[in-house]
Amino acid sequence: MNLFKQTVAGTLLALAAIGCAPKSDLDRKVDDLLAQMTLREKIGQMHQVSGGADLFEAAAKGEIGSILNCVDPEAINAVQRAAVEQSRLHIPILVSRDVIHGFRTIFPIPLGLAATFDPALVEQGARVAAIEATASGVRWTFSPMLDIARDPRWGRVAEGSGEDPYLDALMGVAMVKGYQGDDFTDPSSMAACLKHFVGYGAAEGGRDYNSTMISERSLRNTYLPAFQACVDAGALSLMTSFNEIDGIPSTGNSFLLRDILRGEWDFDGMVVTDWNSSGEMVAHGYAKDLKHATELAVNAGVDMDMMSFGFATFIEELVKEGKIAEKSIDEAVRNILRLKFRLGLFENPYVDAQHARAKVYAPEHLAAAKQSAVESAILLQNRNNVLPLDKTRTILVTGPMADAPYDQLGTWAFDGEPEHTVTPLQALREEYNVIYEPGLKYSRDTDTRSFAKVRAAAACAEAVVVCVGEEAILSGEAHSLSKLHLQGAQSELIAEVRKSGKPVIVVVIAGRPLTIERDLANCDALLYSFHPGTMGGAAIADLIKGKAAPSGKTPMTFLRDAGQAPFYYNHNNTGRPCNGTETLLEDIPLHAGQTSLGCTSYYLDTGYGPLFPFGYGLSYTTFEYGNIKLNRSSFGLDDTIVVEFDLTNTGSRDGVEVAQLYTRDLVGSVVRPVKELKRFERVALTPGETKHLRFELPVAELAFWNRDMQFVVEPGAFQLWVAGDSASGTAHPFSVE
Ligand code: GLC
């Protein structure tokens, strides 16, 4: 940088330090408007409502900053006209909606999108969602959900990207970029909202809304990284979470909202509560009443109130009583106005209602949704390579999820239209001579009286495809389960068709990893498809037929039993790690001595290991990793680790492998996880083909929050693995000096 530029940069920094840096045009517009606003008008901006009898009247008075859950473009324009044309300062309303995995064209649920390990595809899907949703007038979505999830009993694992911070961050950034695009004033740009800030997925017992006990160090090493990555990627807003962390509800937690979010990350976006999460601080026992909750939320750093009505009702009083400084109100309203200016709402507040559906279900949208469903499917078993069924003519299709157009869309698919869903039955009929006997009407159905018909039909088929799983309502918010096996008589249905002696292919369509060990024993192949959305059936049929090859990898660990939860690959080692010599229940001798079984960390009945580890998934071919080499064996703090390796398709079919790089810090000032995902790459290979690949990993990315709460790389011994899942590969040692 030349001397002149250095001088200017230095001057600007000095001016900024004393708070008088020249304002940007954006900040000037915000401040000019803020200066004209009365306290009531400021409070109006901080109030978000979902419908309501007096909506138009309140909008005309400038008493509403945002609405949610209206997707009718005409109605949106009508409310917007009331705000823009009748209110004193003509401030437009911000229209929001939960566009979580598509708007009309529904993509796989986010857990399925994470299974693709394909951020570029996920970004494309988010862009499609933004195009369709903004065409209806929605300019703000409450997505991506970044909650790290280690417990499949929690129904909301469906909405996030699973258990790994690195995968979570890449998926979150992809969605932020897809939703927002490059030009926020473009009418198709939809503001992202990072949620739920923070630690919501650590709910004790996997029971939704339950307490969490997360240390600051765990917050910083596990739960915050994806949020920080998305803030750095330019996310325009963030939502506080329902849960309390060690007794402090996130909606009233100034350490999170001011110290970390604003102070450390310099976030200048807008913070909204979750639905009535401000009011819920009364139920938490953190606020005396709604007025006190309002005081706590605003002083903690919340800008907008979703549906507690506390802000609209009490802020004026609280300011007069001196319990909230008007400066805090000004800060909140600046954040809200800045978002509205950034989206170009003042210049372009209305939606072209005539063309709202012009782009919906566009061929390229459906193609992206189908590709996402193909790549999200995980092949967990394929005995004797029974799949793909490319030479079979007649199949029996059975199971309650074979033709379930509504449930296939999964949770948080409000605006999906089941009549557009392509179900597995519909798509398989295009490929095979299909006999269809559902056997069960819905996933919880226990009526086995039609099993005889299924049995008879199986006798006439060459193979059987059993589609089982979860109705959409069994997944998502407030839908926790204490048991994770297939509901109803689904497992019995699989066992029934097993008796036919025909090849049995099970397709699980669900919102979480279920405990399916029993079902694996009763089938030849099992394909796992996290509620795959509108085009899910077409994707499943292509995979079964062999027109596409499965490449999905588990974004969460699959358990053998719900009792193992929480279970995750990047765990600490403990002082007595399981060592494979454990004695299981059925092998324990009578009158065994107290310590005769050894003393390691496992379950007498279930053992230790999961059913499938994180990052696991089969293909229709096989892959071999070889010639793994590091550029050095010892590295300085400023160095970059280069890992080169060969990946070969050793099978007879085309395939895509997700090559993964894991590291381990063997000794730290605090104990460190046994593995951490640091890189991954999807690699397409034809039969016999070998590609020479490399991962580059700056040593700086081995940093963690250590005993002294410093974010540092601690010198010492490390290991790394290059493999197709978190449990495979061999350890390659290296050191950091
Ligand atoms: C819900 C969810 C949140 C959602 C909000 C608005 O309760 O917790 O994820 O965005 O309310 O629907």
Side-chain angles (χ1 to χ4, degrees):
M1 186 190 291
N2 68 34
L3 182 58
F4 170 73
K5 280 189 175 178
Q6 277 176 343
T7 310
V8 169
T11 308
L12 286 174
L13 280 174
L15 286 171
I18 55 176
C20 51
K23 282 181 183 171
S24 67
D25 285 345
L26 173 60
D27 285 340
R28 217 184 342 273
K29 282 194 281 191
V30 167
D31 287 346
D32 289 351
L33 179 51
L34 183 68
Q36 303 171 53
M37 297 173 78
T38 65
L39 179 57
R40 278 306 321 164
E41 287 166 332
K42 292 174 185 175
I43 292 166
Q45 288 303 307
M46 299 170 74
H47 182 45
Q48 180 185 58
V49 293
S50 176
D54 61 348
L55 190 62
F56 291 83
E57 184 191 340
K61 291 181 191 166
E63 291 177 354
I64 295 176
S66 172
I67 61 173
L68 71 155
N69 295 335
C70 177
V71 292
D72 169 3
E74 299 287 1
I76 287 170
N77 279 339
V79 175
Q80 195 66 283
R81 259 192 297 282
V84 171
E85 295 169 14
Q86 296 177 46
S87 75
R88 188 176 75 88
L89 292 171
H90 317 295
I91 300 173
I93 282 174
L94 183 53
V95 180
S96 63
R97 180 68 161 173
D98 289 282
V99 183
I100 307 298
H101 51 108
F103 184 65
R104 299 290 182 202
T105 302
I106 301 297
F107 284 69
I109 55 173
L111 190 60
L113 294 174
T116 67
F117 280 70
D118 190 345
L121 184 61
V122 170
E123 179 175 344
Q124 188 186 349
R127 185 85 301 263
V128 165
I131 289 167
E132 293 192 354
T134 54
S136 277
V138 174
R139 294 296 308 275
W140 182 24
T141 180
F142 301 122
S143 175
M145 193 263 228
L146 301 172
D147 300 300
I148 290 289
R150 297 168 154 175
D151 191 331
R153 292 174 295 178
W154 189 47
R156 301 199 78 166
V157 301
E159 299 168 59
S161 294
E163 69 192 44
D164 179 72
Y166 178 73
L167 180 63
D168 190 21
L170 266 66
M171 289 296 156
V173 167
M175 289 183 193
V176 167
K177 290 179 176 173
Y179 291 141
Q180 298 184 168
D182 298 325
D183 173 6
F184 302 158
T185 62
D186 184 309
S188 75
S189 173
M190 182 164 70
C193 184
L194 310 178
K195 74 184 187 182
H196 304 80
F197 195 64
V198 67
Y200 182 25
E204 285 178 359
R207 197 177 77 239
D208 205 356
Y209 315 119
N210 202 5
S211 298
T212 70
M213 184 57 79
I214 309 171
S215 70
E216 180 182 341
R217 187 176 296 108
S218 293
L219 267 184
R220 291 182 181 278
N221 282 328
T222 300
Y223 294 93
L224 289 174
F227 284 92
Q228 183 169 9
C230 290
V231 164
D232 293 347
L236 292 172
S237 73
L238 174 141
M239 179 188 288
T240 63
S241 60
F242 287 127
N243 59 292
E244 39 89 359
I245 298 175
D246 191 14
I248 303 177
S250 301
T251 305
N253 190 327
S254 59
F255 171 66
L256 295 176
L257 301 179
R258 292 194 184 284
D259 299 355
I260 292 182
L261 186 61
R262 305 287 184 188
E264 293 181 25
W265 297 354
D266 197 21
F267 180 61
D268 72 350
M270 191 255 274
V271 174
V272 64
T273 70
D274 199 340
W275 186 289
N276 188 34
S277 65
S278 175
E280 289 178 5
M281 289 196 281
V282 178
H284 274 293
Y286 192 68
K288 293 195 296 289
D289 51 30
L290 183 55
K291 178 179 175 183
H292 184 209
T294 299
E295 176 192 343
L296 293 170
V298 174
N299 288 335
V302 169
D303 301 322
M304 185 177 278
D305 170 23
M306 181 193 291
M307 291 302 288
S308 91
F309 293 84
F311 285 30
T313 310
F314 297 109
I315 284 183
E316 191 164 15
E317 209 176 305
L318 287 162
V319 169
K320 286 185 178 133
E321 292 167 3
K323 291 179 179 168
I324 293 178
E326 184 151 4
K327 182 171 70 68
S328 302
I329 303 301
D330 290 349
E331 275 174 39
V333 176
R334 272 198 191 89
N335 293 328
I336 295 166
L337 295 179
R338 189 179 307 116
L339 176 52
K340 294 185 176 182
F341 276 114
R342 278 175 162 160
L343 290 173
L345 285 179
F346 287 87
E347 295 76 20
N348 189 10
Y350 302 113
V351 62
D352 173 1
Q354 305 315 319
H355 299 94
R357 288 191 69 97
K359 283 265 184 174
V360 164
Y361 302 121
E364 64 273 21
H365 294 183
L366 296 175
K370 180 179 175 182
Q371 185 59 22
S372 300
V374 165
E375 293 190 19
S376 70
I378 306 167
L379 182 62
L380 294 174
Q381 179 175 282
N382 192 20
R383 288 195 189 124
N384 309 316
N385 292 319
V386 69
L387 280 179
L389 288 180
D390 49 5
K391 298 182 180 56
T392 303
R393 289 179 307 284
T394 301
I395 62 172
L396 163 64
V397 175
T398 184
M401 295 301 285
D403 196 32
Y406 171 79
D407 290 309
Q408 181 177 310
L409 299 182
T411 189
W412 290 106
F414 294 123
D415 304 301
E417 296 166 325
E419 59 272 27
H420 288 268
T421 302
V422 177
T423 67
L425 175 66
Q426 291 162 353
L428 288 167
R429 278 181 165 150
E430 300 293 316
E431 302 294 342
Y432 299 96
N433 169 27
V434 167
I435 307 165
Y436 175 53
E437 278 298 342
L440 296 166
K441 294 186 178 66
Y442 56 98
S443 69
R444 288 166 291 150
D445 191 359
T446 56
D447 182 352
T448 61
R449 282 174 298 176
S450 59
F451 279 20
K453 280 197 282 181
V454 175
R455 211 168 29 245
C460 308
E462 296 170 69
V464 184
V465 175
V466 197
C467 298
V468 294
E470 286 183 310
E471 294 150 72
I473 191 61
L474 303 183
S475 167
E477 181 171 353
H479 303 153
S480 306
L481 287 168
S482 66
K483 299 176 188 64
L484 295 172
H485 50 60
L486 284 170
Q487 298 289 337
Q490 297 184 101
S491 290
E492 287 74 11
L493 176 63
I494 295 168
E496 189 64 33
V497 294
R498 185 58 173 168
K499 295 172 192 167
S500 69
K502 305 292 175 64
V504 176
I505 293 92
V506 169
V507 179
V508 181
I509 297 175
R512 69 180 89 212
L514 296 169
T515 49
I516 52 171
E517 188 168 24
R518 168 186 173 193
D519 311 296
L520 284 163
N522 283 328
C523 68
D524 296 285
L526 190 141
L527 196 62
Y528 215 94
S529 177
F530 292 110
H531 286 129
T534 304
M535 297 301 288
I540 288 165
D542 278 9
L543 289 162
I544 289 175
K545 183 73 177 181
K547 290 183 175 176
S551 60
K553 297 284 188 177
T554 51
M556 275 185 83
T557 300
F558 274 61
L559 307 182
R560 297 183 55 215
D561 187 286
Q564 292 180 285
F567 194 113
Y568 43 99
Y569 87 94
N570 42 0
H571 59 81
N572 296 337
N573 202 30
T574 79
R576 294 192 171 182
C578 167
N579 57 25
T581 64
E582 285 68 26
T583 306
L584 294 181
L585 206 64
E586 56 273 16
D587 302 326
I588 298 173
L590 289 176
H591 313 309
Q594 166 69 21
T595 59
S596 63
L597 306 181
C599 298
T600 54
S601 181
Y602 81 111
Y603 299 95
L604 292 176
D605 49 0
T606 312
Y608 171 72
L611 186 61
F612 297 107
F614 171 84
Y616 178 88
L618 302 174
S619 179
Y620 289 154
T621 186
T622 49
F623 300 100
E624 191 173 279
Y625 290 78
N627 203 12
I628 298 172
K629 287 191 172 50
L630 283 70
N631 56 331
R632 306 239 297 274
S633 60
S634 174
F635 298 88
L637 294 177
D638 299 329
D639 288 340
T640 293
I641 303 163
V642 177
V643 189
E644 298 191 65
F645 61 99
D646 292 335
L647 183 61
T648 302
N649 177 339
T650 49
S652 58
R653 291 178 179 273
D654 290 354
V656 173
E657 168 70 325
V658 178
Q660 301 154 51
L661 171 68
Y662 295 88
T663 62
R664 179 179 184 179
D665 183 350
L666 289 170
V667 177
S669 59
V670 293
V671 299
R672 308 281 296 114
V674 295
K675 270 186 189 175
E676 296 178 278
L677 180 68
K678 293 293 184 183
R679 290 287 184 275
F680 59 81
E681 182 180 337
R682 289 175 59 86
V683 186
L685 290 166
T686 56
E689 182 184 8
T690 294
K691 281 184 179 169
H692 185 73
L693 302 153
R694 64 189 273 150
F695 286 130
E696 294 191 5
L697 178 66
V699 168
E701 290 190 31
L702 299 174
F704 70 103
W705 291 85
N706 73 357
R707 186 191 187 100
D708 301 322
M709 290 307 269
Q710 297 159 333
F711 187 61
V712 294
V713 177
E714 292 184 347
F718 289 76
Q719 293 172 325
L720 69 79
W721 294 257
V722 175
D725 63 63
S726 61
S728 300
T730 50
H732 295 263
F734 67 94
S735 65
V736 172
E737 306 307 328

